[in-house]
Structure formats: structure tokens, C-alpha cells
Amino acid sequence: MKNNYPIKLLQLIALLAIAASSCKKSSTPAPTPASDAKPVTIGLFETDSTNVDRILIPISKIGTQKVIYNPIFDTGSTGLTMDADGIVPASMFTSASGFNISPGDSLVTPNGITITSHKFTMQYGNQLSSTTEYGNLAYASITIPDEAGNGVTIKRVPMFLYYKIIDQDNNKYPAHSGDIFGVGPGVSFSNSSIASPLSYYSPGTGLTNGFKLATLVAADFVSGKPAYVESLLTLGLTSADLNSSGFIMHPLSIADVGGYSPDIPGTITYEGKTDTTQLLFDTGTPMLTIIEDKKAASIGPLPENTVVTVKTFKGFTYTYTATGTNNFTELQNPLNTGDFRSIFSIYFFADNEFLTDYAGHQIGLKNN
């Protein structure tokens, strides 16, 4: 997870109209309305490491410290999680006991990160395979490079700063192997103080707080060599994005935990049967689309060339053919996985565009 670019906040410029004065009385110049802000475009990295395709978002500064980190851009989770290694001085924490903070107190690092004494864990995966991170609630500004070569700085972003990461068998992972840039709606299931870093961005006059993800370039998933793809991500949604650009909008429901949920109700049809399910479109799932069917008599990979059709109750339809590679699809039973959602992997985003409207609490889907 390497590489980066520079920084700059989008600014609005108010223009003053200068009125001509008559020979008998002067007139007071009246300012014209501020011009509408423009959406900001950001490049992402597409990478394939041992056949695990990912998209990564570059971060060039955390607090006042310049960094080179590329966390996973994840539509299936909410909140920024970053490893403390290289960000927090080594004298301030250990992987065994965490940060040196008294209960009820907080710690401010030399580079401007505020780490609270609130400890908790973040967990990713399901009952069959999972990753657990141990850390604390923290706050810092972050900077993301933009296409203008300057960057976008988002101030005081709540995040999860972790000091240890293990798998379900208690094996430790290397530092920064679990950095996640979760852009889902709502708040983190682990801590309601944490939401998507992008939800704290102010896009400016005339724009709605949210993002668009363009169709991924399948050919740019190159093994071992991250490919920088321009303009994949757009911050700030226009009225046209929300009303006339072809996105089918899906209002989100509030869950008991986590607030607004990214899960969208719909149906999946495969092998001659149709099941009603909750659909999660997840860039953070790298290889495997999972169809959860509580009636499934057997579980395992769908046969190659199986045609799968996904329909949401709002009218979005997507059909693909299961293969042994990019569209590899597995049938599971939620009694085994502990997860009732059918999860569509990163390869869904190679065929479809995706939009999240934080202000209006809705997700847009569009065939490309």
C-alpha cells in the first residue's frame, strides 16, 4: 500500500459586481451570488496481489505528518482504520498493551493526532474467516490527493487507530495490512463516533455531500503492480447526478446498530430459483461473490456459466455469468456464515457505477 500525490481544499470565490455611478448620486456595489462549487475528482489505485483485487485510496498526510499510505477503499464498511505504526511514536504504544494513556485522559502526538483512552475492536469478515483489530478512538485531519495536483484536506476525522491485528486463529498480521477507508453510510458498528471520512467533507455551494465511483478498469488489475487510474472517485454530487444521470436511487433504512445501512432489498435468481435477500455491493470483498440462501441444501461454488440475475425493489437489474475467476460466486447458508446478506464483490464495480448520497441517505446504482 504505497504511493501518493499532493493537496488543496476546494474554495469558492465571491465576485463583486462594480456598478457605474451616475453624475448625480453614487450607487453601492452589490455582490453577485457565489458561483457553485465544482466536484473534485480523485484517482485511485487498482491492484492485484496474489489474485486479490483491490482498489486503494491514497492518503498523503495524517495530522501534520506527510505519509504514503493507501488504505482499502471499502463501500462495505464505515470508518477509517489506520495502523499506529509509523504514525505514532513507538515510545507511545506497544502491540501488547496499546497506547500509554490514563483512563479518561487523551494523548496528543507531535503530528497533531488526538488519541482518546476509549479502547475497542474492529472486526471484518464472518464466522468462517475474520480479522480483528485492537485500538483506540482517535481524531486527526487527513489529506487526499486530487486530480488538480493539490489535494483535499478533511479536518478532525474520527478514526480507529489500531496497534494490533490478528486473524481468527490469533495469527498476527504485518503493520498496515488492515488499513481500511470505509465509505459506507451510517456509523461504525463498533463505535458510533466513527463514520465515513468522506461524510465529513464539505463539497461547497450547490453540491450535495456524497461521492460517485466510476466503473473500474478491469484490465488495470495487474498482479504486483498498483495502477493509478485517474478520476475514479468524485467528491460532491450535482443535481444531475441525483436526478437525471441514470442512477437508480435506493433510499436507505436505519438499522438498530450502525444507523443507515448500505444493505438494499432485492432478489437473486440462479439455477431456476429466485430468493429475496439483502444485497451489499462491496468493493472491500476482493475475490468472492457470496449468495446467502437459508434454504440451500448444499453450499459451495456455483458451477461455471451459471447465469445470475440481481434485481432491487427499486428497479435496478444486473445479470452476469459465474466463472472460476472474476465472477467467482459461492452459495452459502447464513446459519454457517452468521451473515444474512448476499455480498457482491469488487467485480460488480467493473460493470456498474455506484453513488452514495450521505445527505439524502441513499445509494445510486447504474449499469454501464
Side-chain angles (χ1 to χ4, degrees):
M1 299 183 179
K2 308 149 183 144
N3 251 318
N4 282 48
Y5 293 76
I7 322 180
K8 159 179 153 194
L9 280 176
L10 190 66
Q11 298 177 335
L12 298 177
I13 301 175
L15 300 175
L16 295 178
I18 301 176
S21 34
S22 70
C23 57
K24 296 225 175 165
K25 64 178 181 181
S26 63
S27 60
T28 302
T32 59
S35 58
D36 283 352
K38 304 296 183 186
V40 175
T41 55
I42 292 172
L44 303 177
F45 290 97
E46 296 187 5
T47 185
D48 175 84
S49 175
T50 61
N51 297 316
V52 177
D53 291 347
R54 298 284 196 187
I55 50 174
L56 313 175
I57 182 168
I59 294 179
S60 55
K61 188 182 283 188
I62 297 177
T64 60
Q65 178 180 340
K66 291 183 179 180
V67 297
I68 302 177
Y69 293 123
N70 297 314
I72 296 167
F73 186 86
D74 185 9
T75 60
S77 69
T78 301
L80 176 62
T81 73
M82 292 295 298
D83 197 312
D85 184 77
I87 298 174
V88 177
S91 61
M92 292 183 172
F93 74 100
T94 68
S95 61
S97 58
F99 301 103
N100 303 322
I101 308 174
S102 300
D105 206 348
S106 61
L107 174 70
V108 180
T109 70
N111 58 341
I113 300 174
T114 299
I115 308 172
T116 74
S117 59
H118 188 175
K119 289 186 175 184
F120 57 103
T121 62
M122 286 275 200
Q123 191 168 54
Y124 301 91
N126 57 37
Q127 291 178 173
L128 302 181
S129 177
S130 65
T131 299
T132 303
E133 300 172 346
Y134 295 79
N136 290 46
L137 173 66
Y139 297 85
S141 63
I142 62 170
T143 300
I144 306 166
D146 67 1
E147 294 293 312
N150 298 308
V152 172
T153 296
I154 309 174
K155 295 182 178 180
R156 196 167 169 75
V157 175
M159 66 181 69
F160 180 64
L161 201 61
Y162 66 94
Y163 51 84
K164 182 172 70 172
I165 175 172
I166 60 173
D167 67 11
Q168 69 277 358
D169 298 318
N170 208 35
N171 298 310
K172 289 185 179 180
Y173 283 106
H176 290 285
S177 57
D179 293 353
I180 306 289
F181 197 97
V183 297
V187 295
S188 169
F189 276 64
S190 298
N191 191 310
S192 60
S193 296
I194 296 176
S196 164
L198 300 184
S199 69
Y200 299 101
Y201 171 68
S202 298
T205 303
L207 296 176
T208 295
N209 185 16
F211 71 88
K212 288 188 304 182
L213 182 63
T215 307
L216 303 183
V217 182
D220 283 335
F221 286 110
V222 180
S223 181
K225 184 180 179 182
Y228 181 75
V229 184
E230 294 182 353
S231 304
L232 279 182
L233 182 66
T234 300
L235 302 186
L237 302 174
T238 66
S239 176
D241 291 331
L242 298 173
N243 298 294
S244 59
S245 60
F247 280 97
I248 296 176
M249 306 307 294
H250 300 79
L252 303 178
S253 300
I254 296 180
D256 292 339
V257 179
Y260 287 94
S261 169
D263 302 334
I264 296 172
T267 62
I268 299 178
T269 300
Y270 67 100
E271 295 184 327
K273 57 183 177 181
T274 299
D275 292 313
T276 300
T277 186
Q278 294 288 319
L279 308 167
L280 176 64
F281 301 101
D282 184 13
T283 57
T285 296
M287 298 182 299
L288 176 66
T289 287
I290 300 174
I291 298 175
E292 294 283 358
D293 183 358
K294 59 178 178 283
K295 303 175 193 170
S298 60
I299 60 175
L302 285 184
E304 290 193 39
N305 300 317
T306 299
V307 176
V308 179
T309 297
V310 182
K311 293 184 179 180
T312 70
F313 293 156
K314 290 295 181 179
F316 174 81
T317 299
Y318 169 57
T319 297
Y320 71 94
T321 301
T323 69
T325 53
N326 288 4
N327 282 324
F328 185 73
T329 302
E330 185 173 88
L331 184 63
Q332 273 290 353
N333 191 309
L335 297 177
N336 299 324
T337 62
D339 195 336
F340 65 91
R341 305 165 300 174
S342 291
I343 301 176
F344 288 82
S345 75
I346 194 170
Y347 304 118
F348 168 86
F349 299 86
D351 295 322
N352 303 281
E353 296 180 56
F354 185 88
L355 174 156
T356 294
D357 171 9
Y358 293 120
H361 310 298
Q362 55 185 346
I363 285 175
L365 302 174
K366 179 181 178 182
N367 299 124
N368 190 32

